[in-house]
Amino acid sequence: MTASSPASTPAASRPSALAGIKVLDLSRVLAGPWATQLLADLGADVVKVERPVAGDDTRHWGPPFLKDAAGNDTREASYFTACNRNKRSITVDMAHPEGQALLRRMAAEADVVVENFKVGGLQQYGLDYDSLKALNPRLVYCSITGFGQDGPYAERAGYDLMVQAMCGLMSITGHADHEPGGGPLKVGVAVIDVFTGLYASNAILAALHARDNAGHGTGEGQYIDMALLDVGMAVLANQAAGYLATDKAPGRAGNIHPSLAPYQDFKTRDGNVLLAIGNDGQFARFCHAVGHPGWAQDARFATNTARVQNRSDLLMLMTPLMQTRGTQDWITLLEDKAVPCGPINTVAQAFEDPQVQARGLRVDLPRWKDGYAGDSVATISTVASPLRLSATPPVLRHAPPALGQHTDEVLGEWGIAPERIAEWRAAGIV
């Protein structure tokens, strides 16, 4: 099924927020590509530079793999498609002097460069910030590393799982040690990479505005130092704030919210349901709906603070009650009472949810729309951009590209003759 929405339906007449912005994407895997995909969705021309033959590492991170027209697995991992739509892929060997010269030529006219090599890793190629700034003072250059450009860990490689552990996120995720299945647990998505991509794209937009805004623009670019560890600490949010206020480290509590009650999952007669009661009014409406209005008047439960302090007493009452109805029965009962309540879906069930479908959050993009992609994948399904701008909405123009799909096209735009491209290809430079 192909769903469309105002935020994702291609429309040539719609303006793009970042039209005219050129991005040279030297990043790989997830954090950097997530940032550049957001810029691409908003209309920037993102040229993704990949290694000849191998490409981005995530092209091989499977299973699962994309399917061909006959439903058979291809060699293209689906992971790559999560963060590389709307980009044009070229292959360049940056270890070769001619490849370096080509990338410097492109950076000299780019607005943004994004890279996630180790600290100092691009200096040997003349692709570091200082080298490119000398060619293009307007360049916004974003480096993404595990631990930043300075400090005792700067030289270390950084990975999402490692940072989830180091920043304390795993210490507050999962069930407590004394409970069944207890122990540190990573989040099911590489959230530190994703958040780093979001922070990076925000920083890039801020730098472009500082350069170009009509009132106070400097006309100059700047360097952006993004670190996964910095982001991991930042997204601890209220958990970090609580520690800083009390010097008491929070622990794992499963699906229970440390500062709200009842705000968790409950077993039902036929499965599980999620209650997310965030204020006293919601709790009172819940109590009335389930036939226990007195609970909301009980001094132990009358306020959220009291409910948190007396959580065990509250759960002794609620746990058996919640098992008297089925999941959908609870949702039906509470949804018109302004009591937040919902199912705990699988990913498959989430995509079948009527609200997800109404918002057009699945979009099928033809791989061959702009010409043969060089592989047997005809269509790629992706998740629509969640950004809903009324005047300059994101437009999903292109499916995630095949490796090097746009090499000839992009280099041709730079005035490089087909014969020269053919020579470079024969030499393994592109």
Side-chain angles (χ1 to χ4, degrees):
M1 180 197 70
T2 301
S4 62
S5 74
S8 60
T9 304
S13 61
R14 286 177 174 162
S16 295
L18 298 181
I21 296 296
K22 296 180 179 179
V23 179
L24 190 62
D25 184 4
L26 306 181
S27 67
R28 304 144 294 166
V29 187
L30 186 53
W34 197 268
T36 53
Q37 177 173 266
L38 189 148
L39 301 177
D41 285 353
L42 291 172
D45 179 13
V46 178
V47 174
K48 182 177 180 68
V49 180
E50 302 187 64
R51 294 171 295 171
V53 182
D56 189 307
D57 295 345
T58 60
R59 288 187 181 275
H60 314 288
W61 283 11
F65 294 97
L66 298 178
K67 304 289 187 179
D68 63 18
N72 300 312
D73 279 352
T74 66
R75 299 174 62 183
E76 291 285 320
S78 62
Y79 195 118
F80 175 85
T81 69
C83 50
N84 287 291
R85 66 171 173 239
N86 275 344
K87 303 178 186 179
R88 298 193 288 172
S89 170
I90 67 172
T91 52
V92 179
D93 181 5
M94 67 173 59
H96 193 284
E98 290 193 65
Q100 296 162 19
L102 173 61
L103 294 177
R104 284 195 295 270
R105 176 177 172 182
M106 297 178 72
E109 296 188 26
D111 294 283
V112 179
V113 166
V114 178
E115 59 92 6
N116 62 345
F117 286 75
K118 66 180 183 179
V119 172
L122 290 179
Q123 189 171 4
Q124 62 182 315
Y125 305 129
L127 297 172
D128 57 298
Y129 174 62
D130 288 336
S131 298
L132 297 184
K133 179 184 178 182
L135 299 174
N136 181 4
R138 292 175 52 81
L139 184 67
V140 173
Y141 190 109
C142 180
S143 293
I144 299 174
T145 58
F147 301 100
Q149 299 295 310
D150 53 23
Y153 302 162
E155 299 295 329
R156 293 186 185 180
Y159 298 92
D160 177 276
L161 180 60
M162 179 189 301
V163 175
Q164 284 198 40
M166 292 183 67
C167 76
L169 183 59
M170 288 177 64
S171 77
I172 58 173
T173 304
H175 293 288
D177 289 336
H178 65 275
E179 296 179 355
L185 194 66
K186 73 177 182 69
V187 180
V189 170
V191 289
I192 303 300
D193 276 341
V194 170
F195 274 123
T196 300
L198 292 174
Y199 273 100
S201 60
N202 274 271
I204 290 166
L205 293 174
L208 290 171
H209 181 72
R211 185 191 74 179
D212 296 335
N213 89 80
H216 307 284
T218 65
E220 295 185 353
Q222 58 183 291
Y223 182 76
I224 299 169
D225 172 10
M226 292 297 311
L228 270 65
L229 182 62
D230 296 357
V231 171
M233 299 298 294
V235 300
L236 291 175
N238 60 295
Q239 297 280 32
Y243 166 72
L244 294 173
T246 64
D247 286 330
K248 182 179 179 180
R252 291 183 299 280
N255 293 325
I256 291 174
H257 194 291
S259 302
L260 297 171
Y263 199 100
Q264 63 182 86
D265 62 314
F266 289 91
K267 288 187 179 300
T268 66
R269 189 170 59 200
D270 58 5
N272 295 275
V273 72
L274 198 290
L275 276 180
I277 293 177
N279 59 54
D280 298 338
Q282 290 174 354
F283 183 67
R285 291 193 295 275
F286 168 79
C287 295
H288 186 271
V290 301
H292 292 281
W295 289 357
Q297 307 303 319
D298 190 316
R300 297 172 297 168
F301 313 135
T303 67
N304 178 70
T305 298
R307 291 193 296 277
V308 171
Q309 293 171 340
N310 297 284
R311 190 191 304 271
S312 59
D313 290 347
L314 180 61
L315 293 183
M316 285 181 64
L317 296 173
M318 289 188 61
T319 299
L321 171 71
M322 298 303 293
Q323 295 181 37
T324 63
R325 299 172 186 255
T327 297
Q328 188 55 51
D329 296 329
W330 280 117
I331 296 170
T332 301
L333 175 67
L334 297 174
E335 65 182 350
D336 65 347
K337 311 293 192 307
V339 177
C341 175
I344 301 175
N345 286 333
T346 65
V347 173
Q349 289 170 332
F351 275 105
E352 292 301 316
D353 187 283
Q355 181 66 17
V356 170
Q357 294 188 352
R359 295 286 285 178
L361 295 179
R362 170 177 174 164
V363 180
D364 297 340
L365 298 174
R367 187 71 165 278
W368 297 341
K369 179 177 62 176
D370 302 312
Y372 182 59
D375 61 19
S376 56
V377 179
T379 302
I380 296 178
S381 299
T382 185
V383 181
S385 171
L387 303 179
R388 305 290 172 119
L389 287 76
S390 62
T392 55
V395 177
L396 306 193
R397 305 178 303 279
H398 310 297
L403 178 61
Q405 179 179 344
H406 303 97
T407 299
D408 289 14
E409 173 184 301
V410 171
L411 298 189
E413 292 172 1
W414 286 85
I416 299 173
E419 297 79 13
R420 185 61 167 160
I421 299 173
E423 292 174 5
W424 282 349
R425 184 168 282 115
I429 299 170
V430 301

